[in-house]
Amino acid sequence: SRENNALRRINVEPRPFKSWVAVAGALKAGVIDGAFLLSNFAMDQFEKGVDIRSVLVGHRNGSGITVKKDSSIKSPADLKGKKVGIPAKISTHNALLDKYLRKAGLSIKDVNVRVIAPPNMVKALKFNRIDAFIVAEPFCIKAEIDGFGKTIVLSKDILPNHICCVVVVRKEVLKANPSGVQEWVESLNRTGKFIDQDKAENAGKAVARIAMDYMKFDERIITGGMMNPNDRITYSDLNPRIADYETILTVSRDAGIIGNIDLNEFVDDRFYKNIA
């Protein structure tokens, strides 16, 4: 942090990780101070003793269930007995998959879930190692644009306006540099509004140009993952409402992948409330 600079109280250095477990380990060890984590995975880490708090929502919606273009899978019932890729056992996606299956009286116990790193899911589907996958964009739209995939349902239509990733910060950092965390939360909130405004006014092209510096996807895939429809993923409402965390916790408990969490202790909404 730069406490002597009134205009900047924190410096943010992004660090990529290849797995959720690696991110959690880095948080626990203090190698990183904060992270974007899957909401229920973050809750589980908190319950297991990782001293983190969620200060903001990362985004809402933004995932889908994708199958091969010529697949006979069109409904929850058609997934029975199929191999379905998920990014992690304790993930928003596994909970959403369970909720979708329950429309047909099924659950994740009735499918063969396979934990696959998101970048490998498209290839796994293409070469028939799995029958379907549920994951965040832009992997669903990539399978479509590559010509062999189709998305049968978007997560927004399984659980409307659901939270997915959330922003977590180690409690030690919240205590040591609250003004810096406030600055970061405000910048993330502004960025979220910029993204949705660019989607509305420019089809997400300005966002795509920025994202291409960090993601190995072209503009068509990045904008496709944000649009069609416009609420495929949203960033304007990042308010960390406990009720929204409770919704994810409930579907996660229904799926049997997480226990109970003290959300009043886990969610720290004071920084969002203090946004000017």
Side-chain angles (χ1 to χ4, degrees), residues 6-17:
L7 298 177
R8 181 176 295 177
R9 297 180 176 86
I10 194 169
N11 290 323
V12 179
E13 179 186 344
R15 291 195 182 182
F17 288 83

Side-chain angles (χ1 to χ4, degrees), residues 64-135:
I65 298 178
T66 302
V67 300
K68 293 285 284 289
K69 187 181 263 188
D70 59 357
S71 173
S72 61
I73 299 172
K74 296 180 175 63
S75 70
D78 297 332
L79 284 167
K80 184 175 182 179
K82 302 299 185 183
K83 299 186 291 291
V84 183
I86 59 172
K89 180 182 178 182
I90 302 176
S91 63
T92 320
H93 309 89
N94 203 15
L96 290 170
L97 174 62
D98 184 78
K99 183 171 177 60
Y100 182 65
L101 290 166
R102 286 176 187 274
K103 293 182 178 180
L106 304 172
S107 74
I108 51 174
K109 294 179 181 178
D110 296 297
V111 299
N112 184 0
V113 293
R114 301 278 182 90
V115 175
I116 301 174
N120 298 330
M121 285 194 182
V122 174
K123 185 179 292 186
L125 182 67
K126 183 176 183 179
F127 293 104
N128 301 311
R129 296 173 192 144
I130 53 177
D131 302 297
F133 64 70
I134 178 168
V135 74

Side-chain angles (χ1 to χ4, degrees), residues 42-258:
M43 294 176 199
D44 183 67
Q45 290 300 304
F46 168 76
E47 186 65 16
K48 289 177 178 175
V50 180
D51 206 7
I52 53 175
R53 301 293 185 274
S54 180
V55 297
L56 199 70
V57 168
H59 63 88
R60 295 176 184 271
N61 304 326
S63 299
I65 298 178
T66 302
V67 300
K68 293 285 284 289
K69 187 181 263 188
D70 59 357
S71 173
S72 61
I73 299 172
K74 296 180 175 63
S75 70
D78 297 332
L79 284 167
K80 184 175 182 179
K82 302 299 185 183
K83 299 186 291 291
V84 183
I86 59 172
K89 180 182 178 182
I90 302 176
S91 63
T92 320
H93 309 89
N94 203 15
L96 290 170
L97 174 62
D98 184 78
K99 183 171 177 60
Y100 182 65
L101 290 166
R102 286 176 187 274
K103 293 182 178 180
L106 304 172
S107 74
I108 51 174
K109 294 179 181 178
D110 296 297
V111 299
N112 184 0
V113 293
R114 301 278 182 90
V115 175
I116 301 174
N120 298 330
M121 285 194 182
V122 174
K123 185 179 292 186
L125 182 67
K126 183 176 183 179
F127 293 104
N128 301 311
R129 296 173 192 144
I130 53 177
D131 302 297
F133 64 70
I134 178 168
V135 74
E137 296 290 2
F139 300 104
C140 301
I141 196 69
K142 176 172 170 53
E144 294 177 34
I145 289 175
D146 285 354
F148 64 85
K150 64 179 178 181
T151 299
I152 60 172
V153 64
L154 295 173
S155 63
K156 75 178 189 68
D157 297 318
I158 300 174
L159 190 62
N161 204 38
H162 70 85
I163 63 174
C164 189
C165 282
V166 296
V167 181
V168 299
V169 180
R170 290 194 301 117
K171 189 175 180 181
E172 177 185 341
V173 177
L174 297 179
K175 289 183 177 180
N177 190 10
S179 60
V181 175
Q182 183 70 48
E183 184 178 273
W184 187 42
V185 167
E186 290 180 4
S187 70
L188 290 172
N189 191 61
R190 286 195 305 272
T191 300
K193 295 185 184 306
F194 161 74
I195 293 171
D196 279 353
Q197 182 178 353
D198 185 58
K199 286 166 57 182
E201 298 176 357
N202 193 36
K205 291 182 179 179
V207 172
R209 285 193 292 271
I210 296 169
M212 282 189 288
D213 289 338
Y214 301 93
M215 304 172 69
K216 296 180 180 179
F217 298 108
D218 61 29
E219 180 184 286
R220 187 182 174 198
I221 290 175
I222 295 172
T223 56
M226 294 191 293
M227 311 285 291
N228 307 314
N230 194 50
D231 61 347
R232 192 177 182 114
I233 184 169
T234 66
Y235 296 88
S236 291
D237 180 11
L238 304 184
N239 188 350
R241 300 182 193 90
I242 287 182
D244 293 332
Y245 288 70
E246 181 65 46
T247 297
I248 292 296
L249 181 57
T250 297
V251 295
S252 300
R253 283 197 304 249
D254 289 345
I257 59 175
I258 196 173

